[in-house]
């Protein structure tokens, strides 16, 4: 098992952890219904992607 020969300084530890932060997911806007969606994916609200309908959404009746 690998064991460090010397104690890592606070600076080295911080530099190692510099890229571990969480990043917000990229969000784009659907051109048809203007709702937020993930890029390169079908819109969850209207079911379209690049102008084509892939999912048929059913309206709920009250």
């Amino acid at each position: 098992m690998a064991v460090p020969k010397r104690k890592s300084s606070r600076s080295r530890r911080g530099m190692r952890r510099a890229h571990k932060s969480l990043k917000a997911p990229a969000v784009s806007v659907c051109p048809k219904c203007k709702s937020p969606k993930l890029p390169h994916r079908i819109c969850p609200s209207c079911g379209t992607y690049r102008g084509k309908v892939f999912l048929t959404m059913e309206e709920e009746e009250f």
Side-chain angles (χ1 to χ4, degrees):
M1 189 169 130
V3 178
K5 199 165 193 115
R6 301 220 181 269
K7 180 178 178 178
S8 295
S9 67
R10 288 179 229 132
S11 174
R12 289 250 177 224
R13 181 190 66 201
M15 286 191 283
R16 183 178 65 243
R17 293 178 183 174
H19 306 287
K20 284 194 158 193
S21 63
L22 292 175
K23 293 168 184 68
V27 178
S28 61
V29 179
C30 176
K32 184 175 180 184
C33 65
K34 309 295 188 236
S35 66
K37 70 173 194 76
L38 293 174
H40 307 288
R41 284 166 180 80
I42 297 172
C43 177
S45 59
C46 67
T48 60
Y49 179 65
R50 298 186 72 182
K52 297 177 186 173
V53 178
F54 286 92
L55 296 174
T56 55
M57 300 294 170
E58 297 176 2
E59 301 275 337
E60 290 185 15
E61 295 181 22
F62 293 100

